[in-house]
Amino acid sequence: VTDSAVEAEVGIGPNGAGGYGLTVALVVDLPAVERAAAEELMAQAHQVCPYSNATRGNVEVALRLRAAA
């Protein structure tokens, strides 16, 4: 994949249990990939990503596709 980029937007806020927690939005640019394929690739990458695996169940992670062909 060429010209790709991933940005992480990290937030902090109440977790509903009296404490605070993190939220992360991974914003993905895949301008050379058609949208449906880009969404599938992004979802598959999220399943094997070391960061996603380390935080799964502990940090709310949202995936957003910003740019696709």
Side-chain angles (χ1 to χ4, degrees):
V1 176
T2 59
D3 298 322
S4 63
V6 177
E7 294 178 11
E9 298 174 353
V10 179
I12 187 169
N15 66 7
Y20 292 87
L22 297 174
T23 61
V24 175
L26 297 177
V27 183
V28 180
D29 288 310
L30 294 168
V33 180
E34 290 191 24
R35 185 161 201 86
E39 289 173 347
E40 180 64 25
L41 182 59
M42 182 176 60
Q44 289 178 5
H46 182 52
Q47 294 306 309
V48 297
C49 170
Y51 175 85
S52 295
N53 287 330
T55 60
R56 190 167 283 119
N58 297 312
V59 176
E60 180 183 331
V61 177
L63 303 175
R64 291 198 325 248
L65 184 60
R66 178 173 32 217

